[in-house]
Amino acid sequence: MTTNTPVASLRVTAPEVQEAYDTQALQQLDSAHYLHPFTDHAALRERGARVIVRAEDVYLWDSDGKKIIDGMAGLWCVNAGYGRASIADAVHAQLLQLPFYNSFFNTTNVPAVKLAALLAQLSPPQFQHVFFTGSGSEANDTIVRMVRRYWQLAGKPGREVIISRRNAYHGSTMAGASLGGMPGMHAQGGLPIPGIDHIGQPNYAEEGRGMSEAEFGLHAAGWLEEKILEVGPDRVAAFIGEPVQGAGGVIIPPATYWPEIQRICDKYDILLVSDEVICGFGRLGTWFGCQLMGFEPDLIAFAKGVTSGYVPLGGVLVGSRVAHTLIEKGGDFNHGFTYSGHPAACAAALENIRILQAEHLVERVALETGPHLKARFASLVAHPLVGHAETCGLAAGLNLVRRKGQTAHDCEAFPSTHAVGMLCRKHMFDNGVIMRAVGDRMIVAPPLSISVARIDEMVERIRYCLDLTLEEVVARGWMA
């Protein structure tokens, strides 16, 4: 067992807050009226919600004054960090000038036009057009309709099937949840909708025994070709995937995977879609994850980091192949949202991107903070509970295991009924760091603004909480 760092050296308290909060009263109101996403509300009622009241840089404070390192950047989104007054100022100024107008009826607004042009500059060269939405889920719903409309216009209306991956996450709307491959979501609401199919995920630690990473990457990509042939090439419209699977547990594919996916899509003339809702805007050390992974998609879904989460905004970057067909042959594309191109959201995005560029945050992830996080996470493999750890840019994951092995494939997992990941997550929250549990895989994705010193602080808190988790599982007799 590793040596525990004394609690006093790790616990921190917030500076004096300006407002006193009645946490219990807020929790009671929350329980009485607020239905949360992905939540067991009966269980939440028993313990009460954590009430977050303010934030600065990479830190949050709750209503009891506790200071917490946000290792998940909100929900993969606060790329520029908290407390950016210039983003608030940009939104405020836009709200005073033009708080809202729609993009229907042949109208537009200045921030939306400027943002569309800027995104065309930042994205790979095949992207010169943008369709704005309010979220990543809406972006992926848009992609389903856009892909199927494209094939109608191309004279191949039978091409309707979109292939995704098991354990992928593409949102929680009907189409988004169908594209995703999470059984718990498919069990509710009659999902997936027709015309969506799934293949395995490129998880080398779980599926690659007996193969090198390079061999496994080609093997896993081959599942796409098998599925295309099973469904029928004349029925397949597109393949969608996250460059790195985020909510699935930071699943980082081997370097051979995406180029082979590209080859297969090209061979069968199907559209390739990159879901960059998490990976976009610097998370992996490039503006878009497809640039790091070496493939050229026809469509890109984005959201989250485009505004650093300050105001909701999403969209679809539309490649030249699809855009030309929609524009030149399509007439009306009967799809859209009241808030497509919302001027205040686009103003937030413009200022957010200015910050990312001016402070070179994307480059810092590639050259400084990403490599430092990789080294520090690698050091956690020495812990008795950690089977393996891996990172890509500022996204990282480690597996909690009952018994370590010579390789990731040789480790013995805990029984799922023990829910060791949730025990570990509780220790993290209780000791001032947010780390997400996906089963027994613990993941982080901090703000891109995080410094090397803050990464060190975060990792030491993680190490301390791993010690506490180990003590608990040993006391329960789960390590025997």
Side-chain angles (χ1 to χ4, degrees):
M1 185 180 302
T2 56
T3 302
N4 282 352
T5 304
V7 174
S9 70
L10 285 176
R11 292 188 184 276
V12 288
T13 57
E16 184 177 351
V17 294
Q18 296 179 354
E19 183 176 351
Y21 297 92
D22 185 334
T23 299
Q24 186 175 10
L26 288 166
Q27 290 173 332
Q28 290 172 348
L29 282 173
D30 179 85
S31 179
H33 303 291
Y34 189 3
L35 292 176
H36 294 244
F38 289 87
T39 297
D40 180 335
H41 289 91
L44 180 62
R45 184 172 61 244
E46 292 299 315
R47 62 178 178 269
R50 184 184 298 274
V51 183
I52 303 299
V53 296
R54 72 183 188 94
E56 184 70 28
D57 190 21
V58 299
Y59 295 107
L60 304 168
W61 283 266
D62 68 16
S63 54
D64 294 324
K66 188 170 187 177
K67 184 180 181 182
I68 307 161
I69 298 176
D70 185 3
M72 285 305 302
L75 200 59
W76 314 88
C77 56
V78 189
N79 288 11
Y82 296 100
R84 296 287 190 167
S86 64
I87 298 179
D89 290 343
V91 172
H92 180 240
Q94 184 59 48
L95 289 174
L96 292 177
Q97 181 173 352
L98 177 68
F100 171 74
Y101 197 71
N102 68 77
S103 294
F104 293 63
F105 317 127
N106 303 317
T107 63
T108 192
N109 65 79
V110 173
V113 171
K114 289 184 175 180
L115 180 58
L118 178 57
L119 291 174
Q121 292 175 20
L122 292 174
S123 59
Q126 68 268 34
F127 295 102
Q128 293 298 312
H129 294 86
V130 184
F131 189 101
F132 287 117
T133 69
S135 68
S137 293
E138 288 181 358
N140 282 320
D141 278 35
T142 297
I143 281 171
V144 171
R145 296 205 59 200
M146 195 173 282
V147 162
R148 290 175 173 173
R149 178 60 174 157
Y150 166 81
W151 285 114
Q152 287 177 343
L153 296 172
K156 298 179 180 180
R159 285 197 160 199
E160 289 197 336
V161 177
I162 301 174
I163 300 172
S164 181
R165 300 181 294 198
R166 290 188 285 276
N167 197 40
Y169 185 83
H170 297 294
S172 61
T173 52
M174 290 294 286
S178 296
L179 289 173
M182 295 189 168
M185 297 179 73
H186 289 178
Q188 301 177 4
L191 302 178
I193 60 175
I196 308 293
D197 217 327
H198 297 84
I199 61 174
Q201 61 180 340
N203 189 332
Y204 178 65
E206 290 189 357
E207 304 286 346
R209 182 183 292 274
M211 289 179 273
S212 68
E213 286 196 53
E215 290 169 337
F216 175 71
L218 296 174
H219 176 73
W223 297 332
L224 173 59
E225 186 162 26
E226 292 173 4
K227 180 61 70 173
I228 291 170
L229 294 174
E230 175 190 323
V231 172
D234 59 343
R235 295 184 57 229
V236 178
F239 172 75
I240 184 171
E242 306 157 80
V244 169
Q245 286 170 246
V250 185
I251 307 301
I252 304 167
T256 53
Y257 179 79
W258 275 110
E260 181 66 1
I261 290 288
Q262 177 85 67
R263 186 194 69 79
I264 293 167
C265 289
D266 291 346
K267 177 180 177 179
Y268 294 98
D269 191 33
I270 69 173
L271 298 175
L272 180 52
V273 182
S274 186
D275 184 337
E276 304 263 3
V277 171
I278 286 173
C279 296
F281 300 96
R283 173 61 54 193
L284 305 185
T286 49
W287 280 97
F288 296 95
C290 59
Q291 295 167 312
L292 179 68
M293 296 297 171
F295 66 101
E296 298 180 357
D298 296 288
L299 297 158
I300 288 177
F302 68 86
K304 293 187 184 291
V306 68
T307 65
S308 284
Y310 280 53
V311 181
L313 179 67
V316 180
L317 293 169
V318 185
S320 55
R321 174 184 179 182
V322 176
H324 174 79
T325 298
L326 290 177
I327 293 168
E328 300 301 327
K329 300 180 180 180
D332 285 357
F333 180 44
N334 295 314
H335 176 77
F337 306 96
T338 299
Y339 300 123
S340 293
H342 192 291
C346 292
L350 287 166
E351 177 57 20
N352 174 65
I353 292 171
R354 187 200 67 77
I355 291 170
L356 296 179
Q357 291 176 316
E359 298 183 11
H360 307 289
L361 292 181
V362 179
E363 294 82 358
R364 278 185 58 205
V365 172
L367 301 175
E368 180 185 4
T369 51
H372 189 71
L373 180 65
K374 183 179 182 69
R376 292 309 310 273
F377 247 65
S379 74
L380 294 173
V381 176
H383 194 279
L385 272 182
V386 178
H388 70 285
E390 54 189 336
T391 65
C392 186
L394 283 185
L398 58 83
N399 280 41
L400 304 178
V401 298
R402 186 176 187 180
R403 187 169 293 108
K404 297 163 73 79
Q406 293 297 314
T407 70
H409 304 116
D410 300 325
C411 296
E412 180 185 342
F414 288 98
S416 60
T417 52
H418 289 358
V420 173
M422 296 303 289
L423 294 178
C424 187
R425 189 186 75 164
K426 183 179 186 302
H427 286 300
M428 298 285 176
F429 267 90
D430 290 346
N431 289 279
V433 61
I434 293 175
M435 194 176 193
R436 185 170 175 175
V438 181
D440 286 346
R441 185 164 171 84
M442 307 300 297
I443 60 176
V444 295
L448 309 192
S449 60
I450 194 169
S451 66
V452 165
R454 296 291 178 259
I455 290 173
D456 290 341
E457 180 185 358
M458 179 180 69
V459 172
E460 287 312 305
R461 289 179 180 278
I462 290 171
R463 193 187 309 275
Y464 172 65
C465 294
L466 289 171
D467 289 345
L468 295 179
T469 305
L470 179 59
E471 289 181 356
E472 184 168 356
V473 297
V474 167
R476 295 185 182 206
W478 292 351
M479 293 296 283

